Each structure stands twice: as structure tokens, then as C-alpha cells.
Amino acid sequence: MSTDLIPLAVLMGLATYPFRAVPLLAPGFERLPERVRLYLRLVGPSVLAALAAVNTMVIRDAERNPVFHVGPEWLAVGLCILVVALRRSLLIGLVLAAGSIAVLRALGLATLP
Amino acid sequence: MSLEASRRQLLVDSLGIMVSAGGFGLVYGLSARAAGFSPLEASAMSIIVFGGASQFVAVGYVLGGFSWLAIVLLTAFLNARHLLYAAALAPYLADQPRPLRAMMAHVLTDEAFALAIAHFRRIGRADVRGYWMGAIISTFIPWNLATLVGVTIGGSIPEPSRFGLDVIFPAAMGGLAVGLITGRRELVAAISGAVTGVAVALAWDPAAGIIAGGVIGPLVGMAVRPGPRDHEREGQLAFGPEPAHEHAIPYVPQRSEHAHDDPSEGLP
């Protein structure tokens, strides 16, 4: 069994770990100024919303260029967000999101990505 | 919210994330198999790197014959957003032993961050066991098991997208973002992050869009005046049952003298 790519995995791990570890291991993060704490509090909703939006609205075309995408995935993600906002249940939201898109695809109303 | 109630909420939220991690892990395993990775190589990447997008890109780049330097640099670029996650969690975890924080860092992914920050803010402090629950049980284990299944069993598995599993990740991130919105500033930050993210993703690259959204969104949120009731809601946040009383939980994480956790109890 080939192991040629394991050193590459190690290098990729070394390139990733500092981003995850430095703020957690650097001293002084518990004594941050109020403005910085406010900023960090807003990172959560901001980056998660960016992840949701980019993964729903941006796809790559045949030449690997990012293009704006409008599709039934918007409906599924929007449904989940609505359920969480109204019912406060992420699990129900996810089941409805995946279920709705699966049904639409089974009916031929939505293409596979 | 009490620790037990928040952990129950975390467990329920983790189920969807678990399915998402399993689905994506499976697709990664299939892609790695198609690119000629051995099960050992594909699994090594899932264990050591544990970063979905960068692993998918690595598969494509290895297949395309790109240099390792290019792959490693792109990996760093794609995973740079984890710096924001670690910075946001750092105040909560400052009292935990350094070796423990070093281990926690390895499994800090989009999913682990989303579940952990919601859980920590619900209870107003860190919970090591809760962190492992979100990072290891709901993400690391399903991702690695699914990688192994995908790379070994391969083509006999039906396409996960047929079952709508591809929308679970963005839906989960959107839902978890909504759970963190407790006031005008969070709302503005989330909308700004989403708009900035899409704009930069289209103009340049999706990974850059996510980083830009995470960096610029909070700045826009800070420029907005807090709503009249934001102060009293500050810290309640996250989804789950509404608090039974009106006492606002302070945002500032409590120090260890208020925490009941034995840091070692939640080790995987």
C-alpha cells in the first residue's frame, strides 16, 4: 500500500496547525480590551453566515472560476434558518433542508450539483 | 441555561453535523480513491490535516500534478480562517492547561467552532467535555470513518448529494449563525459577513470570501449602535429553550474558580 503522500499530509498539517493553535496558546488572550472582545464576539455570527452564504451562492464553473449560483439550495438553507429562528431547533431545520432538496432532486426539479 | 441542558442541546445539534461530516468524508474518500490515494494516504490526510476544503483541493492538485509547495501554501490559505475561530474561543479556554489547549487546537474546524461557541455562550463559560463532543464525536470520528469507507469500498456507494447531504453543511452553518444572533450588532455582523463573503468569493476566491466575511463583518457590526434591549440579551444567545428567567448571563467567560469541570474528564 502506497505511503508516498503521507509526508504531504504532514506538511499540510504543519501549515494548518498554527492557525488553530496560536491564539489558543499565546498568553494574554484572557486580558483583551473590551473593543477586541466585542470584535471576537461578532466573529462567530459573521464567519458562520459567510460560510453559509458562500457555500450556497457561489459555485465553480467548468474553468474553476467562481460564479453566482441561484438554485433550490437557497430554499433548503433558508428553510433551515427559518426553522432555527422560529423553532430554535437545528436538527429539525437540517432534516427539512436535506429532505426538501432530496425530494426536489428525486422529482427531477433540482439538478445534482 | 444549565450545563446539562446546554449539553443536551449540543448533542441534538451535533446529530446534523455528524451526518454532514460523514457525507462529506465519504465524498472525500471517494475522490481520494479516484485520484489514486491509498487508504493509508487518504486516512493520514483526514487525521493529520482534518480540514475538509483543503483535503479536497489537495486531491485535485495531486491529480493535476501540482507541486507539494503549491498544495501546502494553498492549504495554509484555505485554513487561515481557523485563526479567527481560535481567537474567538481563546478567552473561554485561557484557564485550561496548555497541553489540553494544544490538543483542542488540532480538531478546531468550522463545525467544532460553531458548536463550541454556541455551547460556551449558552453557559457563559468553557466546557471541555462539550468541546470534545462537538469536535471529536460529531466531526472527527464521522469524518475519518467515512473517509475510510469511501476510499476502501468506493463506487458501490450511492452519491450522497442525491439525499441532499450537500446542503447540510451550509444549512448548519446558517442555522448556527442565527443561534448566535442576540442583538442588532450580531445581526448586522452576520449580514455583512455573508454579503462580503459572497462578493469577495465571486471577485477572487471562495476561501478568501469566507475569511473576508469573518474579518469585515464584525467591524461593520461594531460600527452599529446596540439595540435598546441588546444589553440585557447579551450572552443569552444561541438556540435551545428560552431562558426561564430574565437574568442576562455575562458574556465574559467565567474563570476557573467558577467552572466545575475537571479538564481531563473530557479527554477523548
Side-chain angles (χ1 to χ4, degrees), chain A residues 5 7-16, chain B residues 37 45 49 51 53-79:
Chain A
L5 294 174
L8 174 64
V10 173
L11 291 173
M12 288 170 67
L14 289 174
T16 300
Chain B
F37 284 42
M45 214 165 262
V49 184
S54 55
Q55 289 181 231
F56 277 105
V57 168
V59 166
Y61 274 32
V62 166
L63 197 60
F66 283 75
S67 72
W68 281 19
L69 180 64
I71 296 170
V72 171
L73 288 176
L74 194 64
T75 297
F77 174 65
L78 287 170
N79 293 334

Side-chain angles (χ1 to χ4, degrees), chain A residues 1-27 29-30 32 34-60 64 66-69 73 76-77 80-81 84-85 88-91 93-94 97-99 101-103 105-106 112-113, chain B residues 12-13 15-16 37-38 40-41 45 48-50 54 58 62 68 72 75-76 79-80 82-83 85-88 90 93-94 98 101-102 105-106 108 110 113-114 121 161-164 166-175 177-178 180 185-186 189-190 193-194 197-198 201-202 204-206 210 213 215 217-219 221-222 234 238-240 242 251-252:
Chain A
M1 190 180 289
S2 170
T3 55
D4 295 350
L5 294 174
I6 291 179
L8 174 64
V10 173
L11 291 173
M12 288 170 67
L14 289 174
T16 300
Y17 187 74
F19 293 113
R20 293 171 170 164
V22 167
L24 288 179
L25 299 177
F29 261 90
E30 70 277 20
L32 293 172
E34 182 59 36
R35 298 282 293 170
V36 179
R37 288 217 314 263
L38 172 62
Y39 179 88
L40 292 177
R41 199 183 78 208
L42 299 177
V43 164
S46 185
V47 76
L48 296 180
L51 273 168
V54 170
N55 278 285
T56 308
M57 300 176 182
V58 181
I59 59 170
R60 289 187 184 276
R64 305 281 303 153
V67 291
F68 192 63
H69 170 70
E73 295 82 9
V77 174
C80 178
I81 287 172
V84 172
R88 297 181 158 244
S89 172
L90 180 64
L91 186 62
L94 292 178
I101 207 81
V103 168
R105 282 175 183 161
L112 284 169
Chain B
V12 174
D13 294 342
L15 295 176
F37 284 42
S38 70
L40 210 54
E41 291 168 332
M45 214 165 262
I48 298 169
V49 184
F50 191 39
S54 55
V62 166
W68 281 19
V72 171
T75 297
N79 293 334
H82 295 151
L83 193 73
Y85 303 162
L93 299 171
R98 192 176 288 257
R101 279 181 277 154
H106 178 61
L108 181 55
D110 299 328
F113 169 71
R121 290 182 68 179
S161 301
R162 282 177 50 196
F163 306 108
D166 54 310
V167 299
I168 288 186
F169 178 74
M173 294 302 112
V178 169
L180 292 175
R185 280 178 158 164
E186 284 84 357
V198 171
L202 290 170
W204 185 17
D205 182 84
I210 292 161
V215 170
L219 292 174
M222 287 172 76
E234 218 167 70
F239 34 84
E242 291 280 8
Y251 161 70
V252 182

Side-chain angles (χ1 to χ4, degrees), chain B residues 210-232:
Chain B
I210 292 161
I211 296 170
V215 170
I216 294 171
L219 292 174
V220 180
M222 287 172 76
V224 173
R225 279 172 168 272
R229 298 193 61 211
D230 284 5
H231 181 68
E232 63 189 72

Side-chain angles (χ1 to χ4, degrees), chain B:
Chain B
M1 187 186 288
S2 72
L3 177 63
E4 287 71 25
S6 185
R7 276 187 183 165
R8 277 196 298 275
Q9 183 70 43
L10 175 68
L11 191 64
V12 174
D13 294 342
S14 294
L15 295 176
I17 300 284
M18 207 180 279
V19 174
S20 169
F24 277 107
L26 196 62
V27 177
Y28 164 70
L30 291 169
S31 310
R33 179 190 169 96
F37 284 42
S38 70
L40 210 54
E41 291 168 332
S43 290
M45 214 165 262
S46 279
I47 291 168
I48 298 169
V49 184
F50 191 39
S54 55
Q55 289 181 231
F56 277 105
V57 168
V59 166
Y61 274 32
V62 166
L63 197 60
F66 283 75
S67 72
W68 281 19
L69 180 64
I71 296 170
V72 171
L73 288 176
L74 194 64
T75 297
F77 174 65
L78 287 170
N79 293 334
R81 68 184 184 282
H82 295 151
L83 193 73
L84 294 172
Y85 303 162
L89 291 177
Y92 288 99
L93 299 171
D95 292 330
Q96 303 299 332
R98 192 176 288 257
L100 184 69
R101 279 181 277 154
M103 283 192 287
M104 294 170 111
H106 178 61
V107 289
L108 181 55
T109 56
D110 299 328
E111 293 87 348
F113 169 71
L115 292 170
I117 195 78
H119 177 55
F120 290 178
R121 290 182 68 179
R122 278 195 297 263
I123 59 175
R125 64 179 176 85
D127 172 28
V128 174
R129 183 175 287 181
Y131 182 84
W132 292 130
M133 200 188 289
I136 302 281
I137 296 174
S138 80
T139 314
F140 189 82
I141 292 174
W143 175 262
N144 278 282
L145 285 180
T147 295
L148 203 56
V149 170
V151 77
T152 50
I153 298 176
S156 55
I157 300 165
E159 170 63 53
S161 301
R162 282 177 50 196
F163 306 108
L165 297 188
D166 54 310
V167 299
I168 288 186
F169 178 74
M173 294 302 112
L176 288 163
V178 169
L180 292 175
I181 294 171
T182 52
R184 189 184 290 165
R185 280 178 158 164
E186 284 84 357
L187 180 65
V188 169
I191 293 170
S192 308
V195 172
T196 306
V198 171
V200 174
L202 290 170
W204 185 17
D205 182 84
I210 292 161
I211 296 170
V215 170
I216 294 171
L219 292 174
V220 180
M222 287 172 76
V224 173
R225 279 172 168 272
R229 298 193 61 211
D230 284 5
H231 181 68
E232 63 189 72
R233 281 199 300 252
E234 218 167 70
Q236 281 182 2
L237 68 107
F239 34 84
E242 291 280 8
H245 52 75
E246 289 297 316
H247 300 301
I249 303 164
Y251 161 70
V252 182
Q254 294 174 19
R255 303 299 299 269
S256 59
E257 57 265 31
H258 300 298
H260 305 295
D261 281 343
D262 171 6
S264 62
E265 69 176 358
L267 283 172

